[in-house]
């Protein structure tokens, strides 16, 4: 299936831990994004990468570090997790920076 | 500062009725206005989108109306069906950077 996939789907961890979320797309897109959806369902962009180059970095704490090993992957590493990081994180991709964004199924992160 | 304001927060409509969701934006540089549909546990999926050079776009039962002077756009779901029950997000985008700014979402429940 052609799609944007994320792993894991659920992530439960303790405060202070470091965790990573992986994202892969097989759509042949060159731009990838990370969004955060909070408990009130508000969606906000965090980062975007175009051809492995960081394009958007939206006032996100530097505990969050995206890494794009190639155009098909954009991983999100989070250091020193805090309670407020609990949310659903969505990866998305698009063909170039001026086209429809396709979203992955999301990763629900719960920080205890 | 919320750049895209969406209303209502929730909506209940009878099967066969019309669902109307409204959005207003502030940034006149926005030039692409998509609507996303999100089912529980899933990522947002593009439903329909419009650019400011047209005032209306229709795809099946879904219609976007766009008022550039008022900086408002709306989604009309005609002949609403129980399967349309979902959360709907309006968004706005500037071509450069493809940074989607989302409205707060509207939870639509269609009663059979």
């Amino acid at each position: 299936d052609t799609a944007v996939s994320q792993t894991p789907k659920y992530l439960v961890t303790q405060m202070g831990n470091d965790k990573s979320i992986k994202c892969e797309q097989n759509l042949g897109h060159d731009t990838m994004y990370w969004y955060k959806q909070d408990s009130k369902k508000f969606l906000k962009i965090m980062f975007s990468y175009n051809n492995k180059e960081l394009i958007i970095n939206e006032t996100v704490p530097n505990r969050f570090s995206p890494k794009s090993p190639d155009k098909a992957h954009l991983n999100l590493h989070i250091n020193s997790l805090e309670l407020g990081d609990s949310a659903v994180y969505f990866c998305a991709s698009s063909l170039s920076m001026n086209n429809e964004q396709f979203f992955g199924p999301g990763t629900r992160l719960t920080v205890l | 500062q919320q750049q895209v304001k969406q209303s209502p927060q929730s909506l209940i409509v009878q099967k066969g009725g019309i669902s109307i969701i409204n959005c207003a934006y502030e940034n006149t540089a926005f030039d692409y206005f998509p609507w996303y549909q999100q089912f529980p546990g899933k990522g947002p999926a593009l439903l329909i989108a419009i650019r400011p050079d047209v005032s209306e776009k229709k795809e099946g039962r879904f219609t976007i109306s766009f008022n550039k002077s008022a900086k408002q756009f709306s989604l009309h779901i005609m002949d609403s069906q129980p399967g349309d029950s979902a959360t709907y997000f309006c968004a706005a985008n500037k071509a450069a950077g493809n940074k989607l700014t989302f409205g707060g979402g509207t939870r639509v429940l269609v009663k059979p």
Side-chain angles (χ1 to χ4, degrees):
Chain A
D1 284 343
T2 54
V4 180
S5 59
Q6 295 178 229
T7 54
K9 186 159 178 65
Y10 300 97
L11 186 53
V12 182
T13 188
Q14 298 288 328
M15 239 181 358
N17 283 350
D18 303 338
K19 289 293 178 186
S20 293
I21 306 172
K22 294 186 176 181
C23 178
E24 177 181 3
Q25 56 90 8
N26 60 4
L27 297 165
H29 292 167
D30 57 3
T31 307
M32 297 184 73
Y33 313 80
W34 277 109
Y35 287 84
K36 180 181 180 179
Q37 186 171 47
D38 63 23
S39 58
K40 295 184 178 179
K41 289 202 171 289
F42 188 67
L43 266 166
K44 187 168 167 53
I45 192 165
M46 300 172 67
F47 302 101
S48 79
Y49 270 74
N50 175 257
N51 284 315
K52 302 196 299 175
E53 180 184 347
L54 180 65
I55 302 297
I56 295 173
N57 183 343
E58 284 287 297
T59 58
V60 177
N62 57 17
R63 298 182 294 104
F64 290 79
S65 53
K67 286 185 171 53
S68 182
D70 55 56
K71 287 195 298 185
H73 296 84
L74 180 62
N75 304 322
L76 183 65
H77 188 76
I78 315 169
N79 288 327
S80 304
L81 278 156
E82 300 177 357
L83 293 176
D85 297 333
S86 295
V88 181
Y89 292 84
F90 287 100
C91 177
S93 71
S94 68
L95 183 61
S96 83
M97 292 193 292
N98 194 25
N99 282 290
E100 175 188 353
Q101 296 183 26
F102 292 79
F103 283 76
T107 296
R108 182 175 292 276
L109 171 65
T110 303
V111 182
L112 303 175
Chain B
Q1 183 185 8
Q2 194 175 352
Q3 292 195 51
V4 180
K5 295 183 179 178
Q6 183 171 345
S7 63
Q9 285 187 307
S10 62
L11 182 60
I12 299 175
V13 64
Q14 290 296 126
K15 180 182 174 183
I18 302 173
S19 304
I20 302 174
I21 307 170
N22 300 301
C23 283
Y25 63 97
E26 298 171 5
N27 191 339
T28 55
F30 288 142
D31 60 2
Y32 175 66
F33 302 89
W35 285 89
Y36 281 80
Q37 181 187 55
Q38 185 180 26
F39 292 105
K42 305 290 186 184
L46 181 68
L47 190 62
I48 186 172
I50 197 168
R51 294 195 184 272
D53 52 345
V54 296
S55 60
E56 186 174 282
K57 183 173 181 180
K58 183 176 180 179
E59 288 184 2
R61 297 184 293 109
F62 301 92
T63 300
I64 300 179
S65 297
F66 186 82
N67 185 329
K68 188 175 181 178
S69 61
K71 293 188 287 184
Q72 294 175 346
F73 58 112
S74 60
L75 176 69
H76 289 61
I77 307 174
M78 313 300 286
D79 187 25
S80 296
Q81 300 296 312
D84 297 332
S85 296
T87 300
Y88 293 82
F89 293 93
C90 63
N93 192 14
K94 290 185 286 187
N98 209 11
K99 175 185 163 182
L100 277 175
T101 300
F102 283 88
T106 298
R107 179 176 277 187
V108 174
L109 176 63
V110 181
K111 289 195 167 182

